[in-house]
Amino acid sequence: GEAVKPLLAQLAAKATVAVRMLVARERLSRGAPQQAEAILAPVAKNSDAPGLAEARALYARALDAMGQRAEAQAIVQAILEDDQNNADALLLSAQNKLRENNLGGAINDLQIVVRDHPENEEGIIALAKAITDRGDERRARALYENAIKDLPQSFAVMQSYVEFLYGIGDRNRAMSSSREYAQANPASIAGWKLYAQTCERAQNAGCSAEAANGLKISAKLYFMDER
């Protein structure tokens, strides 16, 4: 909104690279790549400094999301020539390969991301979806289950897992998984909403009542919500 613009302008002018990346990643996840690009451009544009590879890779992802795919791809290719394990560069490389129907190549890129950055939610979700598209639902399920154990507070991973479970017709596990997440993260408004949605899809009145009660409690603890 309008209130955010002065802060973003200040960040674009003065912020450290680490702060720029933190805010730009959040903006990109919120569907605001133009803001992410503006924050990163002063340190990433036309720069080949080795220490700025991470910022340039994220900058390339912002450009790609803005539709400037050729420029983004050129940046990523240059980064991967020097560092084949750069997470953001690999995520965009995988995305490009998926667009070209190169599922195997995309999976290879994403496997490197998950191997070297096991906390990377985007990598986990993208890899699970790619593996599912290849028809290996058992492996995708194992990837999700392991990720949930390693990242028990990750709403993004849980949300993706629930949709995966619905996709393979396992409604019971979808409901139990969302319930486990909500109970383990009682302050998560998003978690209780997800559980409520699974209850509604299952048309389970008792489940819905539990979810509604949990949502009321979580609203009082909103300051801990991951969203």
Side-chain angles (χ1 to χ4, degrees), residues 33-34 60-72 99:
Q34 294 86 353
R61 292 186 63 195
L63 290 176
D64 182 83
M66 293 167 60
Q68 300 178 33
R69 292 181 178 175
E71 184 179 354
R99 290 171 182 152

Side-chain angles (χ1 to χ4, degrees), residues 96-127:
N96 287 330
K97 288 172 182 174
L98 288 172
R99 290 171 182 152
E100 299 165 356
N101 295 317
N102 180 2
L103 189 57
I107 288 174
N108 287 339
D109 285 344
L110 294 168
Q111 284 176 327
I112 296 172
V113 174
V114 173
R115 181 195 70 194
D116 294 348
H117 309 274
E119 77 293 341
N120 191 299
E121 297 174 334
E122 290 181 276
I124 293 165
I125 293 168
L127 178 57

Side-chain angles (χ1 to χ4, degrees), residues 162 166 174-175 178 194-203 207:
V162 167
Y166 275 115
M175 188 164 65
S178 61
L194 178 64
Y195 180 37
Q197 289 166 4
T198 62
C199 294
E200 185 177 351
R201 290 169 82 164
Q203 296 183 330
C207 168

Side-chain angles (χ1 to χ4, degrees), residues 21-78:
M21 288 191 63
L22 183 66
V23 177
R25 193 177 299 283
E26 188 274 340
R27 291 288 84 197
L28 189 59
S29 72
R30 298 283 188 174
Q34 294 86 353
Q35 293 177 354
E37 187 275 340
I39 293 168
L40 291 169
V43 296
K45 193 172 184 179
N46 301 324
S47 172
D48 58 0
L52 293 179
E54 299 293 337
R56 287 189 295 120
L58 189 57
Y59 176 68
R61 292 186 63 195
L63 290 176
D64 182 83
M66 293 167 60
Q68 300 178 33
R69 292 181 178 175
E71 184 179 354
Q73 190 165 3
I75 294 172
V76 162
Q77 286 176 342

Side-chain angles (χ1 to χ4, degrees), residues 121-130 132 140-141 143-145 147-148 154-168 174 177-178 181 194 197 201 227:
E121 297 174 334
E122 290 181 276
I124 293 165
I125 293 168
L127 178 57
K129 289 181 177 179
T132 302
R141 185 173 192 142
L143 176 63
Y144 274 124
E145 291 280 2
I148 289 166
S154 173
F155 175 74
V157 172
M158 177 54 66
Q159 184 179 41
S160 183
Y161 182 42
V162 167
E163 287 307 312
F164 163 79
L165 290 169
Y166 275 115
I168 64 172
S177 293
S178 61
Y181 177 86
L194 178 64
Q197 289 166 4
R201 290 169 82 164
R227 290 299 184 191

